[in-house]
Every structure is written in structure tokens, then in C-alpha cells.
Amino acid sequence: MNGQTFAVCLLLLRDAGLLAVTVYSALRLWRATVPPRAAATASD
Amino acid sequence: MLSSEQSDGPATAAPEARLTPWYRLDRRAAGLRAPLACWLLTRMVLVGLAIAGVSGNTDEVHALYPPWAAELAHGHFPVGDSQWQYPPVAGLVFLAPKALPFLSYATAFALLMLLCDAVVALLLARAAGGPGRSSHGLWLWTLGLPFLIQLSYLRFDLAVTALAVAAVLLLERAPVRSGVLAALGGLIKIWPLLVLIGAPNGRTARRSWSSAAVSGLAVCAVMALAFRHAFSFLSEQGSRGIEIESLPGSLLLAARHFGYHGSIHYLYGSYQVSGAYVHGLAKVALGLTVLGFLWLLWWRLRARNWSAATTADAALTAMLVFVTTSRVISPQYFIWLLGLAAVCLVFRDTSQRRAALALPPLMLLTTLVFRCCGRR
């Protein structure tokens, strides 16, 4: 594997990581702040 | 105004913390001495590298910012310069190093960014006191920023990050001042306005958003009166392509290894990919940004359980969505993300702990690719 291919592999690894962190962050924010639909309906 | 603002939010700081002046960090918590000493040590090395010009004299701070500062000193923004991509207050950041004429521009700029870095560290140290708070945010900021080596002192993102961090930390306690800071940040690089997305519903949200709008308009008017061509940057935005450091850019770089005939050119102040599918991919990225923004608005409508950490958590999530989908983004975006992640870790009940801790390894990968492997 030459240097350029290695650099692109690292770049794709970083992008996959960043994408995973973004999805995880969004899911965590949602779960921490949005009540489950059943609970929200009950409280209404 | 000050007293009414400060009574807005819940009193979260411990009584002894509130009686201690903000600059007496030694009295606030002995646990802050280690991270602050570490900050001092790491920053001496980083600023030394930046001032020594380890990366050469082709960086923006040597080749791009000084001519802009010279133009601004003559009372006008760059015109017809495709590399000038920034809202008007960014001009003041480029102009500021000229206040230290006995230093070279690059040295004065690095020292100015060091000052912004110190402001972020002090804000995080100050916020670390009190129940439900921790110094983990300060540790993350202190140990995370060196992963970008000296890059942080060669770009102006630390100035914007300092404003955004201050805006998030003040949002509940002083929404008007928070809105002003976010607007100032937004007039340097747009994205700090996103930190207001997590303003608690009701009076806090109304006050922060309206103060951001009013102060933003007022500062725009002042800049338009003080400088000619303050909004020349708007004409340079539309034709930007895909930057190689962005996520869509890496897809195209990877595709080149499978026969894709794209070329890399220095355009609009960054390395961009030219070739087939670039415009299509740029439109997809823009569509994803819009979708991400719509998701954030939907989240705001549905969110009910607001904790002390929610403002910071929402700011980090919004920034991640914006960064991941952007087609014109550079490695220094990690400075913004790290600053907001550090604010999240100030709160013990943050929902973003793992997301925040995942950032330094990603910063290391970015530095390896763009600095060490010489992708630029």
C-alpha cells in the first residue's frame, strides 16, 4: 500500500468516525430530551 | 439589565463559588491547578511551533491574512478576491495583529489566538465550579487542542470558538449577552449562531434570539459605515465547489483510486476537487445540510426535558450536523467541535460524553492525513 492510498484510508476512517459520532450525538440528544410518545400522550 | 438577566436561570453555582472573584481560580478548586498547568505547558510548545514557522511561510497567516489586513487598514474589505469568504467582523480579527506593530504579523496573530485559547480555558475553569459541574471540559480542551499541533494558532477559528463557548455558558444565566456574543461570532464565521438552537423554551429563547438579531444588525450597520465593501464576501460564495478536507471531498479522493478522473485545484482559498459529479455531490451535501437543520428544528419542537446540559449538548449536535454535511470545511473545524464538546463535559449530566471523547482521536487522524501525509 503506497502513502497516498494509506492517507485516503485514514481519511475515510476519520469520516466514518465523524459520521458515527454525529448520528450518536443526535440520537443521545433526542433520547435525553424528547419523552417517549406514549409518555407524552399520557401527560397531555 | 445585568441583575435581571442573572436572575433568569436557576442558581446552579455553589454559594462559595459565587462569592469568589472569577479570577481567583486557586480558591475555586484545587482540582483546576493541574489542567491549567498542563494548558500552560502545552501552549508554550504549540505557540513556539507556530511562531518558529515550522509549517513554512505558505500558510494563510503568512501569505493571505497580511494583505487583507493591509487593505482593511485602508478602510475597505477585499474586493474581487475569490479567497475572501468571511462576514464583516472577521475583518477585525485580521486587523487586530496590527495593534502590535513591533511584532511580525504571524507572531502577533499567534499571540492573539493564544489569548483566545486562554479565554476558553478560563471560561471552562470558571464553569467547572459548583454542583453538577466538572473540570472534564477543561481537561478535554487542554489535552485535545494539541492534536491539531500548531494549526490552531495559524487560523482564526480560536477567536470564533471563544465567542461560541462564552455564548453557550451564558445562555441560561444571561440570554441577552449570550445572544450578542453569538451574533458577533456569527458575523465572523456564521456557525456560532447555531449555538442558540438549544436555548431553553420561553423567555430565555426569545431574549437570546432577539438580542442576537438586533445586535447582529447593529454591528452590520457599524461595519458598513466604518469600512467600504463590507459585504463583498457574499458575491464569492455561490460558485464554491467541494473542499478536499470535507466528507464529500474524501469520497471523491477515494474515488480517484478507482478510476475517477478528478483534479485538485487551489480555488476560493482552499483545495477543491474539480471533475465529473462534483456539482451533483455539492447539491447532495447542501440538501443534507438543509435536512439536518430541519431535524434540529423538529427536535426543538419535540424536546421537553431540559437539563442544565441541554443547551451545550444541542450546540454540539448542531455543529456536528453542520460539519458532517458541509462541502466547504477544513481541519480547523475540530477547534469549534472541541470547544463545544468541552462545554458539554462541564456538565456531569451531559448526554454527549462519548461523542465529546471521540473527537481527539478523529483530530489525530485529520492531522496525520493533512499535515503529516501532506494531503494539502
Side-chain angles (χ1 to χ4, degrees):
Chain A
M1 184 189 288
N2 64 27
Q4 280 227 332
T5 311
F6 180 65
V8 169
C9 287
L10 286 184
L11 199 55
L12 290 176
L13 186 65
R14 181 210 62 171
D15 289 355
L18 197 55
L19 206 56
V21 169
T22 303
V23 172
Y24 175 81
S25 166
L27 284 175
R28 290 285 298 160
L29 179 71
W30 187 273
R31 283 186 190 160
T33 54
V34 178
R37 201 172 281 274
T41 312
S43 69
D44 286 346
Chain B
M1 187 177 77
L2 199 71
S3 56
S4 69
E5 272 182 46
Q6 283 175 339
S7 64
D8 276 353
T12 47
E16 65 273 20
R18 270 184 279 148
L19 291 171
T20 311
W22 67 269
Y23 51 85
R24 292 306 307 263
L25 293 169
D26 56 327
R27 284 191 193 166
R28 287 182 156 266
L32 294 178
R33 283 184 206 142
L36 288 175
C38 201
W39 180 89
L40 203 62
L41 202 68
T42 52
R43 273 36 176 194
M44 279 165 64
V45 176
L46 296 180
V47 169
L49 288 172
I51 291 175
V54 171
S55 60
N57 290 334
T58 54
D59 256 305
E60 277 84 340
V61 74
H62 291 99
L64 210 55
Y65 300 168
W68 286 346
E71 285 195 65
L72 289 157
H74 285 97
H76 63 85
F77 281 85
V79 184
D81 181 349
S82 65
Q83 298 182 94
W84 177 257
Q85 302 277 346
Y86 309 110
V89 178
L92 299 182
V93 181
F94 297 127
L95 204 51
K98 284 196 164 281
L100 302 171
F102 47 88
L103 295 173
S104 72
Y105 184 88
T107 303
F109 187 88
L111 292 179
L112 184 73
M113 290 307 115
L114 176 68
L115 181 69
C116 297
D117 182 359
V119 167
V120 175
L122 287 174
L123 287 168
L124 293 169
R126 189 185 178 218
R133 304 291 185 96
S134 104
S135 62
H136 294 168
L138 179 59
W139 273 116
L140 183 73
W141 177 253
T142 301
L143 299 178
L145 204 64
F147 281 101
L148 293 178
I149 322 180
Q150 75 274 30
L151 178 72
S152 317
Y153 299 101
L154 304 175
R155 302 286 192 280
F156 65 105
D157 300 77
L158 275 171
V160 200
T161 305
L163 286 168
V165 165
V168 177
L169 287 173
L170 274 176
L171 191 50
E172 261 193 81
R173 197 157 43 94
V176 172
R177 277 184 284 164
S178 171
V180 171
L181 290 170
L184 277 177
L187 287 173
I188 300 177
K189 239 182 175 176
I190 309 287
W191 69 265
L193 287 170
L194 281 177
V195 304
L196 299 180
I197 194 96
N201 279 323
R203 194 165 172 242
T204 307
R206 281 196 305 275
R207 294 187 77 182
S208 61
W209 293 347
S210 56
S211 75
V214 170
S215 57
L217 286 172
V219 173
C220 277
V222 170
M223 293 302 290
L225 287 172
F227 293 92
R228 293 189 300 280
H229 315 299
F231 299 96
S232 60
F233 78 101
L234 290 171
S235 60
E236 308 296 344
Q237 296 291 322
S239 46
R240 293 176 79 181
I242 290 182
E243 215 168 303
I244 59 165
E245 294 117 332
S246 66
L247 265 70
S250 348
L251 287 179
L252 291 174
L253 285 181
R256 290 204 321 163
H257 288 263
F258 297 98
Y260 171 69
H261 295 290
S263 52
I264 296 169
H265 300 286
Y266 191 73
L267 284 167
Y268 308 103
S270 60
Y271 287 90
Q272 309 217 348
V273 187
S274 304
Y277 311 117
V278 166
H279 288 296
L281 202 55
K283 281 182 185 165
V284 170
L286 193 62
L288 288 173
T289 305
V290 172
L291 273 180
F293 190 69
L294 289 174
W295 179 85
L296 285 165
L297 291 180
W298 187 37
W299 164 79
R300 258 210 79 88
L301 291 173
R302 294 286 311 277
R304 293 286 178 275
N305 308 328
W306 234 271
S307 76
T310 303
T311 298
D313 292 354
L316 178 63
T317 304
M319 192 48 49
L320 279 165
V321 167
F322 175 75
V323 160
T324 308
T325 58
S326 175
R327 67 195 162 99
V328 285
I329 213 87
S330 309
Q332 56 267 29
Y333 59 66
F334 274 111
I335 303 173
W336 323 339
L337 290 172
L338 190 74
L340 295 177
V343 180
C344 292
L345 291 194
V346 161
F347 302 96
R348 288 190 188 277
D349 62 343
T350 177
S351 63
Q352 303 294 318
R353 186 167 303 278
R354 286 182 187 162
L357 294 175
L359 290 177
L362 297 177
M363 292 166 78
L364 181 65
L365 281 176
T366 303
T367 302
L368 277 174
V369 174
F370 292 108
R371 291 275 144 180
C372 303
C373 295
R375 292 298 313 176
R376 291 197 64 161

Coordinates of all heavy atoms in Angstrom, one line a residue, chain B residues 4 10 26 81 99 102 138 198 212 304 320 339 366:
Chain B
S4 N -31.3 41.7 36.3 CA -32.5 40.9 35.8 C -32.1 39.7 35.0 O -32.7 38.7 35.0 CB -33.4 41.8 35.0 OG -32.8 42.2 33.8
P10 N -31.7 29.1 36.7 CA -31.6 28.5 38.1 C -30.2 28.8 38.7 O -29.2 28.8 37.9 CB -31.7 27.0 37.8 CG -31.4 26.8 36.4 CD -31.7 28.1 35.7
D26 N -7.6 29.6 42.0 CA -7.0 28.8 43.0 C -7.9 28.6 44.2 O -7.8 27.5 44.9 CB -5.7 29.5 43.4 CG -5.9 30.9 43.9 OD1 -6.8 31.6 43.4 OD2 -5.2 31.3 44.9
D81 N -11.8 39.4 -4.7 CA -10.8 38.4 -4.2 C -11.6 37.2 -3.9 O -12.3 37.1 -2.9 CB -10.1 39.0 -3.0 CG -9.0 38.0 -2.4 OD1 -9.0 36.9 -2.9 OD2 -8.2 38.4 -1.6
A99 N -2.3 45.9 15.8 CA -2.1 46.6 17.1 C -0.8 46.4 17.8 O -0.5 47.1 18.7 CB -3.3 46.3 18.0
F102 N 5.3 46.1 16.7 CA 6.7 45.7 17.0 C 6.9 44.2 16.8 O 8.0 43.7 16.9 CB 7.1 46.1 18.4 CG 6.0 45.7 19.4 CD1 6.1 44.5 20.0 CD2 5.0 46.6 19.7 CE1 5.1 44.1 20.9 CE2 4.0 46.3 20.7 CZ 4.1 45.0 21.3
L138 N -12.4 21.3 30.9 CA -11.1 22.0 30.8 C -10.0 21.0 30.4 O -9.2 21.3 29.6 CB -10.8 22.6 32.2 CG -9.5 23.3 32.3 CD1 -9.4 24.4 31.3 CD2 -9.3 23.9 33.7
G198 N -30.2 25.6 21.2 CA -30.6 24.9 22.4 C -31.0 25.8 23.5 O -31.1 25.4 24.7
A212 N -29.6 38.6 19.6 CA -28.7 38.2 18.5 C -29.1 38.9 17.2 O -28.2 39.5 16.5 CB -28.7 36.7 18.3
R304 N -38.7 18.2 25.5 CA -39.5 18.7 26.7 C -38.6 18.7 27.9 O -38.7 19.5 28.8 CB -40.7 17.7 26.9 CG -41.7 17.8 25.9 CD -42.6 19.0 26.0 NE -43.6 19.1 25.0 CZ -43.4 19.6 23.7 NH1 -42.2 20.0 23.4 NH2 -44.4 19.6 22.8
L320 N -22.0 19.3 14.8 CA -21.6 18.1 14.2 C -22.4 17.9 12.9 O -21.9 17.5 11.9 CB -21.9 16.9 15.1 CG -20.8 16.6 16.2 CD1 -21.2 15.7 17.3 CD2 -19.5 16.1 15.5
G339 N -14.3 22.9 21.3 CA -14.7 23.9 22.2 C -16.1 23.5 22.7 O -16.4 23.6 24.0
T366 N -7.1 13.4 11.4 CA -7.0 14.5 10.5 C -5.6 15.1 10.4 O -5.2 15.4 9.3 CB -8.0 15.6 11.0 OG1 -9.3 15.0 11.1 CG2 -8.1 16.8 10.1

